[in-house]
Amino acid sequence: MSPKSAPPVLPRPPASTVSGDKPRGWFARFLNAVEWLGNLLPHPVTLFAGICVLIVLVSGVAAAFGVQVQDPRNPGAVIRAVSLLNGEGLRRMIREVVRNFVEFAPLGTVLVAMLGVGVAEKSGLLSAAIRALVLSAPRPLVTAAIVFAGVLSNTASEMGYVVLIPLAAAIYLALGRHPLVGLAAAFAGVSGGYSANLLLGTIDPLLAGITTEAARFLDPTYEVNPAANWYFMQASVFMITGIGTFVTEKIVAPRLGTYDRTAAAVDLSTLGGLDRLRPEERRGLLWAGVAVVVLAGIVALGVVPERGVLRAPVETVGAAVQEPEAKTEPRAAAALEAELSAEEGIRLPSIYESALFKGIVAFILLFFIVPGIVYGAIVGTIRNDRDVIDAMADALSRLGLYLVLVFFAAQFVKYFDWTNLGLIIAVEGAVLLRQTGLDNAAVFVPFILMCCLVNLMLGSASAQWAVTAPIFVPMLMTVGYSPEVVQAAYRIGDSTTNIITPMMSYFGLILAFAARYDRRIGIGTLVSTMLPYSLLFLVGWIALFYLWVFLLGLPVGPGSPTYLPTGP
């Protein structure tokens, strides 16, 4: 959620510090061009503010020229551009500015989820869990464990960057291997696998909220669940872990070769982070695990739908199930429900109507805050209620920039909606897709590649999706694809180029970690080291996407259809 910024410029490393092939000249020139172009971009907040002004101006021009398109939802009706560049438009922008901000869908969900993450992080639970996972792995599986832990650390946003990446470098140094190999493996898991996870994290409700806002351009009642991509993201964990391990051992490690300890910028004996878990930490993890099990039992009650099982005549039930109650429920599940209901004469509830999926953010909060408190109480990092409150406050205090970004992003989304520009672009884009023959599954390849390119230049996942979702979600909805599938495809493009762009907000931090072990390291070395991960992640993830969605016909998440009811 943080914007990308250019890292400090360090000298290029000499050939003596990095064995293997040196980065080629054309690639170094490419990196210089990317860095130069990235520095030309304004701050994401400034970018959103500028886009808001641009939308107001464009709406005035479009309305003056009578821009309109046929409404695909209502044959015979038209969608006209609405001007904000008049008295009524200006009054509306002033009148609704606060409402736009406080009603922005992702805002509340992210704030609530971060309360729990803050407690788990401040108590030390997250750090101890990662150390336990990585340090207990057999030596041949250390790389896989590091990549796997990096992917899971995305649940707690910065924790992977700040804790796991330097820890992985120290682990490899202690094992007698090149520390930058460990750093690269962890960086690949944390950042390259950003959208893969076994658990739901703060990014899930954030993106789902933005997707919901975009989908409502066409359907005002559409709701995207925070768990909309959960199944596909879980499967992606193992793909990322496998590819990340292969690239680390077969490409990166041979290229970096044997480590030269004289190149270090610090006294290597002072680099900590390899301490085994203390007895109280092990005890804390044990009881935190018990807390998770207890919570899981309580959550199991949440899968019981709120309405229960109602007895009804077969005829009544048959009529009731003709219209699925949840728009996001897969048609296969709806058909099964209808069949069972007709056979048994009962009204079967849907799991997607349960508290588990309606209140997923509350469960994210509980699964971080309760084990965090239990762990902290045992190890002594949380002694009273004030420590819990301070942890929550600290987590929210780090969201200052995000709140500023959300304020302008919320105005942008509403302006796009009010002016009908998003609908007009979506309809015209859908027409273009059909004319070019890209109104089928092939459309997702150029869409993912476009997201990759945007990610090289523009800030965070939330910033990118807030800009692109209002255009592409309605556009692909008009050719029959669900917002949930579009969001899953976007997340592939957003993740795979994180590790090769100097504009990623943590790139400078990673470069600083690497400089501890090689004081002459440069941007080109780091990017060229990470490039194989980026390319193979992209190819593997696109292949998994098509296999999962179109070949096997599996949903990307609970209650997530592939096609809209009016789709192909």
Side-chain angles (χ1 to χ4, degrees):
M1 292 181 289
S2 303
K4 290 173 184 171
S5 56
V9 179
L10 296 177
R12 297 280 190 264
S16 60
T17 62
V18 181
S19 62
D21 296 333
K22 294 185 294 183
R24 298 185 181 277
W26 69 265
F27 192 68
R29 289 193 296 273
F30 168 74
L31 292 176
N32 291 335
V34 170
E35 185 176 7
W36 178 75
L37 290 173
N39 289 335
L40 292 180
L41 289 175
H43 193 284
V45 172
T46 307
L47 191 63
F48 272 117
I51 293 175
C52 289
V53 174
L54 181 62
I55 289 175
V56 172
L57 297 177
V58 171
S59 72
V61 174
F65 281 91
V67 174
Q68 63 182 40
V69 295
Q70 294 296 317
D71 190 344
R73 303 164 297 180
N74 185 9
V78 296
I79 302 171
R80 293 184 176 87
V82 177
S83 176
L84 294 180
L85 199 61
N86 52 35
E88 178 56 32
L90 294 175
R91 285 191 293 272
R92 187 177 190 183
M93 287 188 290
I94 294 172
R95 186 173 61 247
E96 303 290 337
V97 63
V98 176
R99 180 179 296 179
N100 294 345
F101 177 51
V102 299
E103 293 183 357
F104 190 59
L107 180 61
T109 53
V110 170
L111 294 179
V112 171
M114 282 303 296
L115 292 175
V117 171
V119 173
E121 185 176 4
K122 197 68 177 284
S123 69
L125 171 62
L126 297 179
S127 175
I130 283 183
R131 286 163 55 207
L133 173 65
V134 174
L135 296 178
S136 62
R139 182 162 178 164
L141 298 179
V142 166
T143 298
I146 286 176
V147 177
F148 183 75
V151 175
L152 296 189
S153 73
N154 295 326
T155 304
S157 82
E158 304 105 341
M159 195 269 296
Y161 292 100
V162 176
V163 176
L164 179 62
I165 292 177
L167 176 62
I171 289 172
Y172 269 64
L173 181 67
L175 293 175
R177 302 187 65 183
H178 202 303
L180 296 188
V181 174
L183 181 143
F187 189 23
V190 173
S191 197
Y194 185 69
S195 284
N197 215 318
L198 296 179
L199 305 173
L200 295 177
T202 54
I203 191 64
D204 294 286
L206 170 63
L207 295 183
I210 296 174
T211 308
T212 296
E213 296 279 354
R216 286 177 178 175
F217 284 5
L218 287 180
D219 184 349
T221 65
Y222 208 98
E223 188 77 28
V224 178
N225 194 289
N229 299 145
W230 197 7
Y231 297 160
F232 181 65
M233 293 302 105
Q234 287 178 317
S236 299
V237 170
F238 303 100
M239 183 274 297
I240 291 294
T241 301
I243 293 178
T245 302
F246 172 81
V247 172
T248 301
E249 297 298 343
K250 301 300 182 182
I251 300 176
V252 173
R255 181 175 183 273
L256 291 178
T258 304
Y259 178 56
D260 179 7
R261 298 177 70 96
T262 63
V266 298
D267 181 1
L268 296 180
S269 64
T270 65
L271 295 178
L274 279 177
D275 296 336
R276 294 285 177 178
L277 293 176
R278 302 190 305 273
E280 62 269 24
E281 289 178 317
R282 293 184 181 277
R283 196 163 56 250
L285 284 176
L286 174 62
W287 284 105
V290 171
V292 169
V293 172
V294 172
L295 273 177
I298 297 174
V299 168
L301 300 177
V303 303
V304 179
E306 295 168 358
R307 286 183 291 176
V309 178
L310 304 178
R311 294 283 172 182
V314 174
E315 294 80 11
T316 305
V317 172
V321 297
Q322 293 302 313
E323 234 176 68
E325 297 173 8
K327 186 172 183 64
T328 56
E329 187 175 48
R331 282 184 284 177
L336 176 61
E337 180 182 54
E339 181 182 343
L340 291 176
S341 297
E343 290 178 359
E344 300 178 14
I346 60 173
R347 175 69 172 94
L348 292 179
S350 169
I351 191 174
Y352 307 116
E353 299 169 4
S354 68
L356 175 63
F357 291 103
K358 286 186 175 181
I360 194 70
V361 177
F363 288 110
I364 293 175
L365 170 66
L366 287 174
F367 271 95
F368 279 107
I369 196 171
V370 174
I373 291 174
V374 170
Y375 177 87
I378 291 175
V379 302
T381 53
I382 292 182
R383 296 175 297 276
N384 50 47
D385 60 325
R386 184 175 295 276
D387 290 336
V388 176
I389 295 170
D390 288 343
M392 292 181 175
D394 182 62
L396 294 186
S397 69
R398 292 176 291 176
L399 295 179
L401 179 60
Y402 169 70
L403 294 177
V404 177
L405 178 67
V406 162
F407 174 80
F408 289 99
Q411 311 307 319
F412 158 72
V413 169
K414 285 298 183 182
Y415 292 177
F416 218 45
D417 185 18
W418 295 343
T419 59
N420 285 336
L421 292 179
L423 280 175
I424 293 172
I425 293 174
V427 172
E428 290 297 321
V431 171
L432 179 62
L433 287 176
R434 290 191 178 98
Q435 291 175 345
T436 57
L438 285 178
D439 59 349
N440 50 44
V443 72
F444 287 100
V445 172
F447 173 65
I448 292 171
L449 294 178
M450 182 217 67
C451 294
C452 289
L453 294 176
V454 172
N455 192 45
L456 290 172
M457 298 293 178
L458 186 59
S460 63
S462 57
Q464 293 175 58
W465 195 224
V467 171
T468 55
I471 297 173
F472 289 99
V473 169
M475 181 185 299
L476 293 175
M477 285 176 69
T478 61
V479 295
Y481 294 105
S482 73
E484 292 86 350
V485 169
V486 178
Q487 178 181 285
Y490 161 75
R491 298 179 74 169
I492 295 173
D494 171 65
S495 294
T496 50
T497 51
N498 278 339
I499 50 181
I500 61 171
T501 172
M503 270 57 73
M504 195 271 292
S505 58
Y506 289 100
F507 194 92
L509 178 65
I510 306 307
L511 194 61
F513 287 149
R516 295 179 181 180
Y517 301 96
D518 186 350
R519 59 182 175 275
R520 292 161 292 188
I521 196 170
I523 294 174
T525 301
L526 182 56
V527 174
S528 62
T529 299
M530 303 309 300
L531 185 59
Y533 293 104
S534 184
L535 295 176
L536 291 183
F537 282 173
L538 178 60
V539 172
W541 226 333
I542 290 177
L544 178 63
F545 177 77
Y546 276 91
L547 174 67
W548 186 274
V549 175
F550 298 110
L551 230 57
L552 300 178
L554 299 174
V556 292
S560 298
T562 297
Y563 305 107
L564 295 176
T566 57

